[in-house]
Structures are given as structure tokens and as C-alpha cells.
Amino acid sequence: MEKTACPSSYVVVDLETTGLYPSQDRILEIGAVKVLDGEVADTFCMFADPQMKIPEKIRELTGITQEMVAGQPTPAEAVRAFLDFCGELDLMGHNLIFDYSFLKHQAADQKIPFEKNGIDTLKIARTLLPDLESRSLTNLCGYFQIDRAHAHRAYHDALATHELYQNLIRIAGEGQERIFQPKQLQYKVKRRGPITPAQKAYLNDLVKYHKIELDVSVDSLTKNEASRKIDTIIARYGRMKR
């Protein structure tokens, strides 16, 4: 008899992003591992061109450069491909709501229904290993001696999370099956409309007038992002003189 009755089919996902805030930051890379009956059945790895300058601290952390993402699919295209990959399977991740929030924003913007159940290895580890000083993916992989030679790259982190899940099953006690069960992921978002023609014209005029070099493609901005960008420029440089 198995020690625990735990889900054995799922898609482990991990994202690399330009920052921590899904409403304003963008996806750089999606990595995923499809597991069926406990065995890796398929993998997914795709860069996404964020159409903006990658922050230096993100380049240093991930090793992902502007050249690596140039000409790659947009975040929207990458997310559509990932949704096709995962199909109806439940998701798994370490601090899964972070990755889900970025995916959910992109799905909402494209009017794609996206509601998933998920398994969060961080929450499981908090229950099973309450005395660890840190339950970050890095620390837990060190604890279980899981290879992290390519840390902070999406596919390799997804694979490490799958291995972590197997180790957590191994140390779980009888009666702890419930902590491994998928739960409905809760994250509410509203569709973000694209930049309007009027905003685009005004922003381009501001950039030309003040001789500014933007760190983001104007066409890739949402309506709210464009408003913030315009307000920031006006606050710093002033309005155009007629």
C-alpha cells in the first residue's frame, strides 16, 4: 500500500519575469514539466519578448539577456502556447500563486477562460518542515540534495519543483494526504485594454518633444500603463509648449 494517496498527474510550471508585480511586470520565460502517473511525459520551455528593457537585477539573477528574448513570441503568444500544453491538467508550482497571477493576467487580456486547481509545494513544505529557517526553492533543494545547477531558469526550476514534490511525498506521514490535494486557485483580474490611438499619438509626441528614449515598446503598453507613462513624463519634463 502506498504511503500517501497523492496526485500523480499534473503540470509543474515556473516563470521568469521582469519583476514581482503581475499588473505591471512581464513574462520572460515559461518552463513546464508535464507529469503523467508520476513520470515526466513532456516538457515546455519558451522565451517571451517582454518588449521592454530587462532590468539589470533580473539579468543578473536569471542570466536572460535582451539578445536571448529578441524576436521570441510575445508574452501573450507564449501563454497561449502554454495553455495548449497543459490542457485540463492541474498545475503545480513553488509559491504557485505568483506564476498563476502572471498567467491569469495574460489570459484575461486575451479573453481566454483560465481557472485552475493547483498544488503548491511551498504550502506543503511549510506543513511538513515547520522548523526550517527558509522554505525557498533554493533552500529546500539544498535540504533534499536536488540539483540546482541552473537555478532561476524556468524549465530547470519546474523540474526541481517536481523532484521536491516527490521528496515531500516521501517524508509525509500517514493521514497527511489532504495537504497534497489540488485546491482552486484564487486570483481575480480584470482585462487590461491596449493603449488607445489618442494615447499612442500623445505619448509619441511627448517622447519626440522631450527627446526621450523609452525603455518599452509603445505598442506593447496597456491603457493604464500608457497613462502612467504619460503622467511620469509630464511630472518630470513638463507638458509640451504649443
Side-chain angles (χ1 to χ4, degrees):
M1 181 179 294
E2 294 184 3
K3 187 176 182 180
T4 53
C6 301
S8 60
S9 296
Y10 44 82
V11 170
V12 192
V13 63
D14 186 86
L15 306 183
E16 302 302 334
T17 64
T18 61
L20 301 176
Y21 304 102
S23 62
Q24 63 188 55
D25 292 309
R26 302 182 180 186
I27 296 171
L28 284 174
E29 186 181 29
I30 304 176
V33 177
K34 182 180 290 183
V35 177
L36 301 176
D37 297 324
E39 299 294 332
V40 175
D42 202 357
T43 61
F44 180 96
C45 187
M46 183 177 289
F47 282 123
D49 184 349
Q51 299 175 291
M52 63 172 286
K53 185 177 180 181
I54 301 172
E56 182 178 357
K57 63 181 180 180
I58 299 299
R59 295 199 307 271
E60 293 174 351
L61 179 68
T62 65
I64 298 174
T65 66
Q66 216 73 47
E67 292 73 23
M68 292 166 69
V69 300
Q72 297 296 324
T74 64
E77 292 167 338
V79 168
R80 285 200 300 271
F82 170 71
L83 297 185
D84 288 341
F85 173 80
C86 67
E88 299 301 316
L89 288 170
D90 293 331
L91 297 182
M92 178 184 293
H94 197 73
N95 191 21
L96 177 57
I97 200 66
F98 173 83
D99 305 285
Y100 185 66
S101 65
F102 276 87
L103 296 170
K104 190 72 181 277
H105 268 286
Q106 283 295 332
D109 289 349
Q110 301 175 70
K111 300 181 181 180
I112 299 174
F114 185 54
E115 300 294 335
K116 282 288 188 181
N117 292 332
I119 303 166
D120 191 337
T121 51
L122 174 59
K123 291 182 178 179
I124 297 171
R126 284 172 175 164
T127 299
L128 295 181
L129 298 165
D131 296 329
L132 284 187
E133 183 176 347
S134 169
R135 286 166 292 277
S136 68
L137 184 59
T138 296
N139 278 27
L140 287 166
C141 285
Y143 180 83
F144 288 112
Q145 298 184 318
I146 298 170
D147 179 36
R148 290 299 309 287
H150 302 284
H152 301 296
R153 288 298 304 275
Y155 165 72
H156 296 284
D157 282 357
L159 187 60
T161 300
H162 165 58
E163 295 183 41
L164 170 62
Y165 177 70
Q166 301 301 319
N167 278 278
L168 292 171
I169 290 174
R170 178 175 55 81
I171 67 169
E174 296 294 336
Q176 292 185 304
E177 297 88 347
R178 61 178 179 77
I179 67 174
F180 292 91
Q181 302 311 307
K183 295 178 177 60
Q184 177 69 43
L185 294 170
Q186 303 289 341
Y187 190 83
K188 299 294 184 182
V189 299
K190 293 182 178 180
R191 180 175 178 268
R192 300 171 296 184
I195 185 173
T196 67
Q199 285 179 314
K200 182 176 177 180
Y202 187 46
L203 181 54
N204 282 330
D205 285 345
L206 278 172
V207 168
K208 184 177 180 180
Y209 180 83
H210 292 294
K211 299 179 180 179
I212 301 167
E213 184 175 346
L214 293 179
D215 59 358
V216 62
S217 165
V218 171
D219 288 329
S220 73
L221 294 171
T222 65
K223 185 177 179 179
N224 287 342
E225 287 173 335
S227 292
R228 289 196 297 268
K229 186 69 69 175
I230 289 169
D231 290 344
T232 298
I233 292 174
I234 290 173
R236 183 172 181 179
Y237 298 99
R239 296 182 180 276
M240 294 182 291
K241 296 179 180 178
R242 300 295 185 182

